Amino acid sequence: MKFLTFIATLVLIWLIGLFAFAGRVRDFTPAPEPARADAIVALTGPSAERVNAAIRLLEQDKGKRVLISGVNREVRRQELRALTPGSNRLFNCCVDLGFEAEDTIGNAQEIAAWAEAKDYDSLIVVTSDYHMPRALTEIRAAAPGIALTPYAVETPSLDNSRWWKAAVTARRMTLEYMKYLAALARAMVGSIDRPTTDEPVAEKAA
């Protein structure tokens, strides 16, 4: 009986965490206008909207440069440019492409290396709303000391308080929640191993 009670308690805690995570995802959008940062980073995904949003922020002078992280190695610069609205001049002068990342951990490492090479202390992070908590966690772990401002792209199918009633949205939210928990666990282990001289990362209001 005690064992069943323990299991039931764990399940309840997990469910509470899932719904709290879903609420946080919805709170990321609509994204408010961010304060200017040193630069902007966009994590590639299933649609071009993340990249488009980052380019729009660059046009608004919200950062000096943009890094598009996780670009498919087979995609040429001019092909990506053709899918992106905005100034050719800005894209040619101020947009860097990262081809190394294959997942969110890779994105974080690529972003951290780029920011260190450019000596940037603050970044606007552009990705989908459901992906934002995990992206921030991974980038924060890879680049402690850099201030991160989230700028989330809305996922229309998740803009519903009853996301859990549809199999597709319930699966997406649950899978992302599990990945987020794994990212948190990695970050906790990493913080134990990290020297205590590291400065904490400041996350600005979403």
Side-chain angles (χ1 to χ4, degrees):
M1 181 63 69
K2 290 183 178 180
F3 178 74
L4 292 178
T5 301
F6 175 72
I7 295 298
T9 301
L10 287 181
V11 171
L12 179 60
I13 293 172
W14 184 88
L15 284 173
I16 292 172
L18 172 59
F19 278 84
F21 174 80
R24 185 182 179 195
V25 166
R26 291 196 302 276
D27 287 344
F28 275 119
T29 56
E33 181 176 348
R36 194 177 193 277
D38 287 337
I40 304 154
V41 295
L43 289 72
T44 55
S47 74
E49 184 52 35
R50 300 180 186 182
V51 175
N52 293 345
I55 299 300
R56 287 195 296 270
L57 291 174
L58 179 65
E59 291 178 325
Q60 296 166 15
D61 194 32
K62 295 300 183 180
K64 302 171 187 175
R65 299 188 68 82
V66 165
L67 171 67
I68 303 174
S69 176
V71 179
N72 190 307
R73 292 177 182 272
E74 297 180 0
V75 175
R76 297 181 180 180
R77 186 179 183 87
Q78 57 267 35
E79 293 174 336
L80 185 61
R81 172 67 192 90
L83 298 174
T84 306
S87 166
N88 283 323
R89 180 186 61 81
L90 274 178
F91 193 92
N92 292 333
C93 82
C94 305
V95 176
D96 299 321
L97 306 184
F99 295 95
E100 299 301 320
E102 297 182 353
D103 54 22
T104 306
I105 297 175
N107 288 138
Q109 294 169 345
E110 190 167 63
I111 289 167
W114 181 77
E116 182 178 8
K118 300 289 186 183
D119 197 26
Y120 291 150
D121 295 321
S122 58
L123 300 172
I124 298 173
V125 180
V126 182
T127 191
S128 297
D129 47 6
Y130 68 89
H131 187 232
M132 186 63 76
R134 180 160 57 104
L136 292 174
T137 299
E138 297 287 12
I139 297 170
R140 189 179 294 117
I146 293 182
L148 306 177
T149 299
Y151 188 83
V153 174
E154 185 176 3
T155 305
S157 62
L158 295 180
D159 186 25
N160 188 326
S161 61
R162 297 183 181 273
W163 55 268
W164 45 273
K165 283 196 169 184
V168 173
T169 53
R171 181 181 182 279
R172 168 173 281 185
M173 195 73 80
T174 302
L175 181 60
E176 189 59 35
Y177 174 57
M178 296 302 293
K179 291 179 179 180
Y180 172 63
L181 291 180
L184 280 179
R186 283 193 298 272
M188 290 177 63
V189 172
S191 66
I192 295 173
D193 296 334
R194 189 181 304 138
T196 56
T197 54
D198 284 351
E199 297 180 1
V201 172
E203 178 184 331
K204 299 179 183 179

Coordinates of all heavy atoms in Angstrom, one line a residue, residues 57-90:
L57 N 14.0 41.1 -35.9 CA 14.6 41.8 -34.8 C 15.9 42.5 -35.2 O 16.2 43.6 -34.7 CB 14.9 40.8 -33.7 CG 13.7 40.2 -32.9 CD1 14.1 39.1 -32.0 CD2 12.9 41.3 -32.2
L58 N 16.7 41.9 -36.1 CA 17.9 42.5 -36.6 C 17.6 43.8 -37.3 O 18.2 44.8 -37.1 CB 18.6 41.5 -37.5 CG 19.9 42.0 -38.1 CD1 21.0 42.3 -37.0 CD2 20.4 41.0 -39.1
E59 N 16.5 43.8 -38.1 CA 16.1 45.0 -38.8 C 15.7 46.1 -37.9 O 15.8 47.3 -38.2 CB 14.9 44.6 -39.8 CG 15.4 43.8 -40.9 CD 14.2 43.4 -41.8 OE1 13.1 43.2 -41.3 OE2 14.4 43.3 -43.1
Q60 N 15.2 45.7 -36.7 CA 14.8 46.7 -35.7 C 15.9 47.1 -34.8 O 15.7 47.8 -33.8 CB 13.6 46.1 -34.8 CG 12.4 45.8 -35.6 CD 11.4 44.9 -34.8 OE1 11.5 44.7 -33.6 NE2 10.4 44.3 -35.5
D61 N 17.1 46.7 -35.1 CA 18.3 47.0 -34.4 C 18.3 46.5 -33.0 O 18.7 47.2 -32.0 CB 18.6 48.5 -34.4 CG 20.0 48.9 -34.0 OD1 20.9 48.1 -34.2 OD2 20.1 50.0 -33.4
K62 N 17.7 45.3 -32.8 CA 17.7 44.7 -31.4 C 19.0 44.0 -31.1 O 19.2 43.5 -30.0 CB 16.5 43.7 -31.3 CG 15.2 44.4 -31.4 CD 15.0 45.5 -30.4 CE 13.6 46.1 -30.4 NZ 13.4 47.1 -29.4
G63 N 19.9 43.9 -32.0 CA 21.2 43.2 -31.8 C 22.1 43.5 -33.0 O 21.7 44.0 -34.1
K64 N 23.4 43.3 -32.8 CA 24.4 43.6 -33.8 C 24.4 42.6 -34.9 O 24.6 42.9 -36.1 CB 25.8 43.6 -33.2 CG 26.0 44.7 -32.1 CD 27.3 44.5 -31.4 CE 27.5 45.3 -30.2 NZ 28.7 45.1 -29.4
R65 N 24.2 41.3 -34.5 CA 24.3 40.2 -35.5 C 23.3 39.1 -35.2 O 22.7 39.1 -34.0 CB 25.7 39.6 -35.6 CG 26.8 40.5 -35.9 CD 28.1 39.7 -36.1 NE 28.1 38.8 -37.3 CZ 28.3 39.3 -38.6 NH1 28.6 40.5 -38.8 NH2 28.2 38.4 -39.6
V66 N 23.1 38.2 -36.1 CA 22.2 37.1 -35.9 C 23.0 35.8 -36.2 O 23.7 35.7 -37.1 CB 21.0 37.1 -36.8 CG1 20.3 35.7 -36.8 CG2 20.0 38.2 -36.4
L67 N 22.8 34.8 -35.3 CA 23.3 33.5 -35.5 C 22.1 32.6 -35.8 O 21.3 32.5 -34.9 CB 24.2 32.9 -34.4 CG 24.5 31.4 -34.5 CD1 25.5 31.2 -35.7 CD2 25.1 30.9 -33.2
I68 N 22.1 31.9 -36.9 CA 21.1 30.9 -37.2 C 21.8 29.6 -36.9 O 22.6 29.1 -37.6 CB 20.6 30.9 -38.6 CG1 20.0 32.3 -38.9 CG2 19.5 29.9 -38.8 CD1 19.6 32.5 -40.4
S69 N 21.4 28.9 -35.8 CA 22.1 27.7 -35.3 C 21.3 26.5 -35.8 O 20.1 26.4 -35.7 CB 22.1 27.7 -33.8 OG 22.7 26.5 -33.3
G70 N 22.1 25.5 -36.2 CA 21.5 24.2 -36.6 C 21.0 24.1 -38.0 O 20.1 23.4 -38.4
V71 N 21.7 24.9 -38.9 CA 21.3 24.9 -40.3 C 21.7 23.6 -41.0 O 22.8 23.1 -40.7 CB 22.0 26.1 -41.1 CG1 21.6 26.1 -42.6 CG2 21.6 27.4 -40.4
N72 N 20.9 23.0 -41.8 CA 21.2 21.8 -42.5 C 22.4 22.0 -43.4 O 22.5 23.0 -44.1 CB 20.0 21.4 -43.4 CG 20.2 20.0 -44.0 OD1 21.2 19.7 -44.6 ND2 19.2 19.1 -43.7
R73 N 23.4 21.1 -43.3 CA 24.6 21.2 -44.1 C 24.4 21.3 -45.6 O 25.2 21.9 -46.3 CB 25.5 20.1 -43.8 CG 26.1 20.1 -42.4 CD 27.0 18.8 -42.1 NE 27.4 18.8 -40.8 CZ 28.5 19.4 -40.3 NH1 29.3 20.0 -41.2 NH2 28.9 19.3 -39.1
E74 N 23.2 20.8 -46.1 CA 23.0 20.8 -47.5 C 22.3 22.1 -48.0 O 22.2 22.3 -49.2 CB 22.1 19.6 -47.9 CG 22.7 18.3 -47.6 CD 21.8 17.1 -48.0 OE1 20.7 17.4 -48.5 OE2 22.2 16.0 -47.8
V75 N 21.9 23.0 -47.0 CA 21.3 24.2 -47.4 C 22.4 25.3 -47.7 O 23.2 25.5 -46.8 CB 20.4 24.7 -46.2 CG1 19.8 26.1 -46.5 CG2 19.2 23.7 -46.0
R76 N 22.2 25.9 -48.8 CA 23.2 27.0 -49.2 C 22.7 28.3 -48.6 O 21.5 28.5 -48.4 CB 23.3 27.0 -50.7 CG 23.9 25.8 -51.3 CD 24.1 25.9 -52.8 NE 24.7 24.7 -53.4 CZ 24.9 24.6 -54.7 NH1 24.6 25.6 -55.5 NH2 25.5 23.5 -55.1
R77 N 23.6 29.2 -48.4 CA 23.3 30.5 -47.9 C 22.2 31.2 -48.7 O 21.3 31.8 -48.2 CB 24.5 31.4 -47.7 CG 24.3 32.7 -47.0 CD 25.6 33.5 -46.9 NE 25.3 34.7 -46.2 CZ 25.4 34.8 -44.9 NH1 25.7 33.8 -44.1 NH2 25.2 36.0 -44.3
Q78 N 22.4 31.2 -50.0 CA 21.4 31.9 -50.9 C 20.0 31.2 -50.8 O 19.0 31.9 -51.0 CB 21.9 32.0 -52.3 CG 22.2 30.6 -53.0 CD 23.7 30.3 -52.8 OE1 24.3 30.6 -51.8 NE2 24.3 29.6 -53.8
E79 N 20.0 29.9 -50.6 CA 18.7 29.3 -50.5 C 18.0 29.7 -49.2 O 16.7 29.9 -49.2 CB 18.9 27.7 -50.5 CG 19.4 27.2 -51.8 CD 19.7 25.7 -51.7 OE1 20.0 25.2 -50.6 OE2 19.7 25.0 -52.8
L80 N 18.7 29.8 -48.1 CA 18.1 30.3 -46.9 C 17.7 31.7 -47.0 O 16.6 32.1 -46.5 CB 19.1 30.1 -45.7 CG 18.6 30.4 -44.3 CD1 17.4 29.5 -44.0 CD2 19.7 30.3 -43.3
R81 N 18.5 32.5 -47.7 CA 18.2 33.9 -47.9 C 16.9 34.1 -48.6 O 16.1 35.0 -48.4 CB 19.3 34.6 -48.6 CG 19.0 36.1 -49.0 CD 18.9 36.9 -47.8 NE 18.3 38.2 -48.1 CZ 17.0 38.5 -48.1 NH1 16.1 37.6 -47.8 NH2 16.6 39.7 -48.4
A82 N 16.7 33.2 -49.6 CA 15.5 33.3 -50.5 C 14.2 33.1 -49.6 O 13.1 33.6 -50.0 CB 15.5 32.3 -51.6
L83 N 14.3 32.4 -48.5 CA 13.1 32.1 -47.7 C 12.9 33.1 -46.6 O 11.9 33.0 -45.9 CB 13.3 30.7 -47.1 CG 13.4 29.5 -48.0 CD1 13.7 28.2 -47.2 CD2 12.1 29.3 -48.8
T84 N 13.8 34.1 -46.5 CA 13.8 35.0 -45.4 C 13.5 36.4 -45.9 O 14.2 36.9 -46.8 CB 15.2 35.0 -44.7 OG1 15.5 33.7 -44.4 CG2 15.1 35.9 -43.5
P85 N 12.4 37.0 -45.4 CA 12.1 38.4 -45.8 C 13.1 39.4 -45.2 O 13.8 39.1 -44.3 CB 10.7 38.6 -45.2 CG 10.7 37.7 -44.0 CD 11.5 36.5 -44.4
G86 N 13.2 40.6 -45.8 CA 14.1 41.6 -45.2 C 15.2 42.0 -46.2 O 15.2 41.6 -47.3
S87 N 16.1 42.7 -45.6 CA 17.2 43.4 -46.4 C 18.2 42.4 -46.8 O 18.8 41.7 -45.9 CB 17.8 44.5 -45.5 OG 19.0 44.9 -46.1
N88 N 18.6 42.4 -48.1 CA 19.7 41.6 -48.5 C 21.0 42.1 -47.9 O 21.9 41.3 -47.5 CB 19.9 41.7 -50.0 CG 18.9 40.9 -50.8 OD1 18.5 39.8 -50.3 ND2 18.4 41.4 -51.9
R89 N 21.1 43.4 -47.7 CA 22.4 44.0 -47.1 C 22.6 43.5 -45.7 O 23.7 43.0 -45.3 CB 22.3 45.5 -47.1 CG 23.5 46.2 -46.6 CD 23.3 47.7 -46.5 NE 22.2 48.0 -45.6 CZ 22.3 48.0 -44.2 NH1 23.4 47.7 -43.6 NH2 21.2 48.3 -43.5
L90 N 21.5 43.5 -44.9 CA 21.6 43.0 -43.5 C 21.9 41.5 -43.5 O 22.7 41.1 -42.7 CB 20.3 43.3 -42.8 CG 20.2 44.7 -42.1 CD1 18.8 44.8 -41.5 CD2 21.3 45.0 -41.1

